[in-house]
Amino acid sequence: MTVSRVVELEGHIIDSGMMQAAFGIVMDMGGSFDVEEFDVGRTKTSTSYARMTVSADTPEELQSIVHELHQNGANPVDPQDVDLDPAPRDQVVPQGFYSTTNHPTDVRVDGEWIAVEDVEMDCAVVVERDGNGDPVRAYTKVLNAIEAGDLVVTGEAGIRVRPPERPRDKGGAFGFMQGGVSAERPSESTIAQIADAIVETREAGGDVLAVCGPALIHSGARGALAELVREGYVTMLSAGNGFAVHDLEHDLYGTSLGMDTESLDHPRKGHKHHIYTISEIIREGGIEAAVESGTIDSGVMYECVRNDRPFVLAGSIRDDGPLPDTITDAVEAQNAIREQAHEADLVLMLSTLLHSVAVGNCLPSTTKVVCVDINPATVTQLLDRGSAQAVGMVTDIGTFVPILTEKVLAAEAEAAAGDD
């Protein structure tokens, strides 16, 4: 005897691939489906609708299938209120808690849909009620932030997931963002489109977060990124201890990890420059103090301090020193990254796998992400971990950032000329 459940999909479900994905999920997991209703949107602005019955041999198999469909935007047609169970103690969620995706999500409480705030993947959803027992808000919480008594959403009922849809055309500054990673994209035109996206984001009052790896400094792109920070096109920075050390080392010694980035020579004792740099910054009391004293007078970190661009340096087990500004507590670093990620409107992930994945885990799927690396596996891993909104460009970061800076400034100049 089979069991079944009716689900529905709505939106641009054909060209976005949502409908095909739903069919594949059901078949791959051993179920079957029957499309009961299918209305096709016939223009670029109209949406499509599909209603289908999903069947499986056992209730457990059906629940697994419906769960996967739900994660991809197929929602049951008979919504019920969410199940809410209190957390038994701090950092402990109830059994069967709902683990979030990074897509916009609503929960149904007392017959009303409430948008979940601060959406990110792999969190619990907590519903807050006022003194009269009425729901006030719903928001995500990481497991280590759960407090005893928090009302946590459990099960699958009363939850609506809304995956963002890809643009149906390629117009506008963000038209190039069609997802995926490729070494085949024409570099000049793609970089120009990314530059337009940065300018558009700034003109709209948005924030651009740069997530940077040390290779950016090694490859000679330090000055170009510093200019983007100085001119306000990059408004936030997320990196590790190594990135900041090599940037500061370049200012003090003209090297990055002991190598002259212009001549490619290795000066005598150059291999010690990074640890000398750390010692000097510790002696000064931190990066800001070193800038204020005049010890540091150029580079990315200098521009962040001088222009009040917030930065997060997240430490790791491999760090030398580390710098006084580096956050060495992993949970504290995650929270700082999370706060930045929730404020960002556009994220540039520049040649760093670990920090790209860390920041990507904190981003809602509605945030635009561009990932640039010479290694296509960096973007592939980002996509595999759920940051499906990321688009990738496979190129040398030392070439990409200077060209991007040039095109950003040119795009801004062109826009200014048009206003005159």
Side-chain angles (χ1 to χ4, degrees):
M1 180 179 178
T2 62
V3 289
S4 60
R5 188 82 183 270
V6 180
V7 299
E8 60 184 356
L9 301 94
E10 189 169 9
H12 298 303
I13 61 177
I14 301 173
D15 50 0
S16 70
M18 188 187 301
M19 190 169 185
Q20 180 182 356
F23 291 166
I25 288 169
V26 176
M27 292 185 290
D28 290 345
M29 298 184 70
S32 60
F33 63 86
D34 179 28
V35 179
E36 298 179 350
E37 184 179 348
F38 185 26
D39 296 326
V40 180
R42 301 184 182 280
T43 68
K44 283 187 176 182
T45 57
S46 60
T47 58
S48 300
Y49 174 85
R51 174 189 176 107
M52 65 182 185
T53 299
V54 180
S55 302
D57 292 334
T58 67
E60 292 75 20
E61 290 176 355
L62 179 63
Q63 182 177 356
S64 296
I65 294 172
V66 171
H67 172 78
E68 290 301 320
L69 289 173
H70 181 263
Q71 303 290 292
N72 286 271
N75 297 297
V77 298
D78 52 346
Q80 306 164 12
D81 281 355
V82 291
D83 295 320
L84 297 174
D85 293 310
R89 61 179 189 271
D90 290 353
Q91 301 186 350
V92 178
V93 291
Q95 291 284 349
F97 79 99
Y98 175 74
S99 178
T100 58
T101 70
N102 60 352
H103 300 315
T105 302
D106 306 313
V107 292
R108 195 170 187 267
V109 183
D110 298 345
E112 300 290 336
W113 289 105
I114 301 174
V116 177
E117 302 170 15
D118 298 331
V119 168
E120 63 178 273
M121 67 179 74
D122 302 329
C123 292
V125 176
V126 171
V127 173
E128 187 178 303
R129 294 184 182 274
D130 61 19
N132 297 321
D134 297 324
V136 176
R137 58 190 288 247
Y139 55 97
T140 60
K141 262 193 175 184
V142 293
L143 299 192
N144 61 46
I146 291 291
E147 300 176 86
D150 279 346
L151 295 177
V152 179
V153 172
T154 58
E156 302 289 336
I159 304 165
R160 185 170 62 191
V161 177
R162 296 174 283 112
E165 296 163 350
R166 294 294 180 191
R168 303 198 75 185
D169 56 45
K170 297 185 179 181
F174 294 104
F176 73 100
M177 303 189 76
Q178 302 295 326
V181 54
S182 173
E184 304 293 331
R185 289 194 175 105
S187 296
E188 285 283 333
S189 58
T190 302
I191 296 174
Q193 290 172 313
I194 296 171
D196 288 341
I198 293 173
V199 172
E200 182 178 301
T201 300
R202 191 178 85 155
E203 289 178 346
D207 283 304
V208 177
L209 169 63
V211 183
C212 305
L216 190 148
I217 306 298
H218 303 331
S219 64
R222 171 179 179 263
L225 180 62
E227 188 168 10
L228 289 177
V229 173
R230 180 172 61 252
E231 299 300 326
Y233 295 102
V234 168
T235 56
M236 298 184 291
L237 178 78
S238 181
N241 184 73
F243 172 87
V245 170
H246 301 322
D247 173 64
L248 298 166
E249 175 192 335
H250 192 285
D251 182 80
L252 292 174
Y253 298 99
T255 60
S256 174
L257 204 59
M259 182 188 73
D260 188 310
T261 57
E262 294 184 6
S263 68
L264 304 184
D265 290 336
H266 287 77
R268 187 170 180 273
K269 293 187 178 181
H271 64 286
K272 296 184 178 182
H273 286 174
H274 79 285
I275 201 68
Y276 290 164
T277 298
I278 293 170
S279 175
E280 190 63 32
I281 300 303
I282 292 174
R283 183 177 295 109
E284 291 277 352
I287 296 173
E288 183 175 356
V291 170
E292 294 301 329
S293 70
T295 300
I296 300 297
D297 60 8
S298 71
V300 179
M301 303 312 302
Y302 171 85
E303 297 297 347
C304 284
V305 171
R306 278 295 186 215
N307 295 283
D308 198 25
R309 315 287 186 220
F311 60 86
V312 172
L313 302 179
S316 76
I317 194 89
R318 303 168 298 169
D319 289 339
D320 290 323
L323 294 167
D325 305 82
T326 300
I327 303 173
T328 56
D329 182 287
V331 173
E332 184 183 346
Q334 287 177 356
N335 289 337
I337 288 173
R338 180 170 290 110
E339 183 176 347
Q340 272 195 331
H342 289 171
E343 293 178 4
D345 299 286
L346 174 62
V347 180
L348 304 176
M349 297 180 171
L350 306 175
S351 198
T352 170
L353 173 58
L354 295 180
H355 275 80
S356 293
V357 171
V359 174
N361 286 349
C362 299
L363 291 171
S365 61
T366 50
T367 301
K368 299 174 178 66
V369 178
V370 178
C371 185
V372 182
D373 203 296
I374 196 67
N375 184 1
T378 298
V379 185
T380 301
Q381 184 162 341
L382 191 67
L383 295 172
D384 288 345
R385 290 188 59 84
S387 299
Q389 79 274 27
V391 296
M393 186 173 178
V394 180
T395 190
D396 171 48
I397 200 68
T399 301
F400 172 84
V401 176
I403 295 176
L404 177 67
T405 302
E406 176 186 328
K407 291 189 178 296
V408 164
L409 297 177
E412 180 69 10
E414 183 179 342
D419 292 337
D420 292 339

